[in-house]
Amino acid sequence: MFAADFLTDFHLVATIGATPHNGVDRQAATVDDATSRAWFSNWVTDAGYTLKVDGIGNMFALIEWTAGAPFVLVGSHLDSQPLGGRFDGAYGVLAALHAAKNVDEQVRASPTVPPFNLAVVNWFNEEGGRFAPSIMGSSVFANIFDQESMLDTTDLAGVSVRAALNDIGYLGTDPRPTAVSYAEIHIEQGRILEREGIAIGVVDRSWYTQKLDIEVLGEQSHTGATAMADRHDALVAAAKIILLVQDVTNEFAAEAIVSSVGQLTLQPNSPIVVARRVKLVADLRSGDPQIVHTARAILLEKIAALAVEHDIQINVTDFDIRPIRYFPENGMHLAEAAAVRAGLSTRRIQTMAGHDSVAMNTIVPSIMLFVPSVDGVSHCEREFTTDADMVAGLALLTEVTTDLVNGALVEPALASESSTRA
Ligand SMILES: [Zn+2]
């Protein structure tokens, strides 16, 4: 049965790169990422679909009913954070595969052919844990990031995306399918749906986000022999910056802004040496860009004062600034009408996290759906969504995908005039 097959596959994929407490660790272009990719590839070819891999490691399962017609894309990502959850991304890919198979069976049983073809996609490096920036594969697809510079990006060990993809055999050369629309389903990663007892979140927009790359330059010295007054300890200043990044959120209304320092590297990282250099990455997000701008200004001022106080150099660079993106109203209506047919409750919801759909929505009309997250936790082993909620989301994604391939969101006139049944 449709739902049972999906659950079997979902729980099987959760064993790839499994961690001791029900999470997964499948960072981009690692051995475990390659194993989940091989699983995807086998599933796709077993189902009789065509597998393509592009130059940034995105994988596409093509279901071509009409030769030459553009594709509706449905998918998410199989990569994870280090010690991440088994639902983030993987749910969307597994739901997309099973929704696509269901739609394909409907099409083959029907005398009419839909105007658009269908492709399931596993985007490369959505998480950005190993290689920054995140949302890499879909952003290259959407021409937001340049492919060559992304391939040259390195992890903390100095390995490039190009070398890592080549090592696992997924530096592809296939042309990309032409997309006409996109749909993605994902866990909420917050607790709004759970709190309100609603089955589906229909995402109307993404939050404004920006990162600050902060480099603290002190002076290396002996942790035992150097007098306290003579120390220029980069780590002490960095510790104060971490607290500033947290405390700045108190300047605004509750839940208006979120921020954290998530990455820190220090040199030389020896127990007997005062740190000479610390690099931190701060992540600031809000539904209101002005709040992020104000928080950034407060931080820059306080960090400058800290540099003077500690007689140390601190360089702050803006990077990875992502504006608010709005999902199209007609796509949200389509999803809400499909949810009514499926007997599922919905509400409009904003996404604080970035998603492949946010990148795709810049080039084609996109639909983003959420299912509830238990306790709202994500990017950790405790991440959880029930089988029942996943199956409900799968039913909705199947309805939405059917509408999309039938041209309910984008005019079928865009399809090639000369298309013939493949
Ligand atoms: Zn995700």
Side-chain angles (χ1 to χ4, degrees):
M1 193 221 149
F2 173 44
D5 289 350
F6 157 76
L7 288 172
T8 301
D9 281 343
F10 177 83
H11 293 295
L12 173 68
V13 169
T15 66
I16 302 170
T19 57
H21 302 102
N22 301 315
V24 295
D25 196 329
R26 293 195 300 256
Q27 294 186 69
T30 59
V31 170
D32 288 315
D33 186 32
T35 306
S36 69
R37 286 165 167 272
W39 178 88
F40 181 94
S41 170
N42 288 334
W43 194 99
V44 165
T45 44
D46 285 353
Y49 309 144
T50 308
L51 184 80
K52 300 282 182 191
V53 181
D54 72 8
I56 192 72
N58 296 321
M59 302 175 75
F60 303 92
L62 307 186
I63 306 177
E64 203 165 5
W65 303 300
T66 303
F71 288 81
V72 169
L73 264 56
V74 193
S76 196
H77 59 95
L78 289 174
D79 74 313
S80 84
Q81 292 290 337
L83 268 189
R86 63 196 192 276
F87 299 86
D88 178 357
Y91 168 56
V93 174
L94 273 289
L97 284 173
H98 284 267
K101 191 175 185 190
N102 195 278
V103 172
D104 181 47
E105 284 164 4
Q106 289 172 36
V107 167
R108 289 184 190 282
S110 155
T112 56
V113 182
F116 300 126
N117 292 315
L118 179 58
V120 176
V121 52
N122 170 31
W123 298 112
F124 173 68
N125 187 31
E126 192 275 346
E127 295 292 355
R130 179 180 179 193
F131 300 104
S134 58
I135 317 182
M136 188 178 280
S138 53
S139 294
V140 168
F141 187 97
N143 295 311
I144 298 168
F145 296 158
D146 171 61
Q147 179 167 303
E148 286 307 303
S149 50
M150 291 303 117
L151 290 171
D152 290 337
T153 303
T154 54
D155 64 11
L156 290 176
V159 179
S160 69
V161 166
R162 189 191 316 275
L165 277 174
N166 198 44
D167 283 353
I168 62 163
Y170 283 94
L171 185 61
T173 54
D174 293 324
R176 299 184 171 114
T178 302
V180 74
S181 59
Y182 178 71
E184 177 169 357
I185 196 162
H186 202 280
I187 55 165
E188 181 196 340
Q189 305 175 291
R191 62 195 330 161
I192 294 171
L193 295 176
E194 179 185 66
R195 196 158 58 199
E196 299 184 1
I198 290 171
I200 300 291
V202 176
V203 178
D204 57 4
R205 60 189 170 119
S206 59
W207 272 28
Y208 184 92
T209 76
Q210 103 138 77
K211 296 193 177 68
L212 289 172
D213 197 299
I214 305 166
E215 181 186 41
V216 186
L217 295 170
E219 186 184 30
Q220 186 166 329
S221 59
H222 197 300
T223 54
T226 312
M228 291 307 286
D230 293 336
R231 298 183 188 204
H232 299 277
D233 190 329
L235 188 54
V236 169
K240 291 184 177 176
I241 292 170
I242 293 169
L243 296 178
L244 289 176
V245 169
Q246 161 146 315
D247 292 345
V248 76
T249 63
N250 297 329
E251 308 275 335
F252 307 92
E255 300 190 21
I257 179 170
V258 294
S259 73
S260 265
V261 170
Q263 190 177 55
L264 175 148
T265 49
L266 78 149
Q267 290 163 329
N269 204 15
S270 158
I272 341 139
V273 180
V274 172
R276 71 167 181 274
R277 177 176 183 267
V278 179
K279 262 200 68 184
L280 313 131
V281 178
D283 187 347
L284 306 170
R285 303 180 189 217
S286 173
D288 178 355
Q290 192 52 50
I291 290 180
V292 172
H293 297 153
T294 306
R296 174 186 172 279
I298 294 169
L299 284 174
L300 292 187
E301 195 183 314
K302 293 194 171 174
I303 288 170
L306 198 68
V308 173
E309 185 197 330
H310 285 254
D311 190 15
I312 228 168
Q313 189 184 338
I314 307 176
N315 303 317
V316 184
T317 315
D318 293 304
F319 85 107
D320 205 5
I321 296 168
R322 301 185 188 202
I324 290 179
R325 303 270 192 201
Y326 295 86
F327 287 88
E329 186 66 34
N330 55 356
M332 294 187 284
H333 276 300
L334 184 156
E336 285 157 353
V340 169
R341 294 200 301 275
L344 298 169
S345 56
T346 61
R347 63 159 281 162
R348 298 273 173 106
I349 197 165
Q350 299 176 7
T351 179
M352 298 155 79
H355 291 291
D356 295 306
S357 62
V358 176
M360 285 302 289
N361 192 44
T362 66
I363 54 163
V364 290
S366 300
I367 296 174
M368 183 74 195
L369 305 168
F370 282 168
V371 293
S373 289
V374 172
D375 291 341
V377 292
S378 186
H379 285 183
C380 63
E381 292 176 297
R382 198 157 68 81
E383 187 179 275
F384 188 69
T385 292
T386 65
D387 282 357
D389 285 343
M390 286 200 289
V391 167
L394 169 62
L396 178 58
L397 186 67
T398 306
E399 290 278 335
V400 166
T401 305
T402 303
D403 285 351
L404 291 177
V405 296
N406 284 319
L409 185 58
V410 176
E411 286 291 309
L414 283 177
S416 164
E417 298 281 337
S418 58
S419 326
T420 48
R421 189 157 192 153

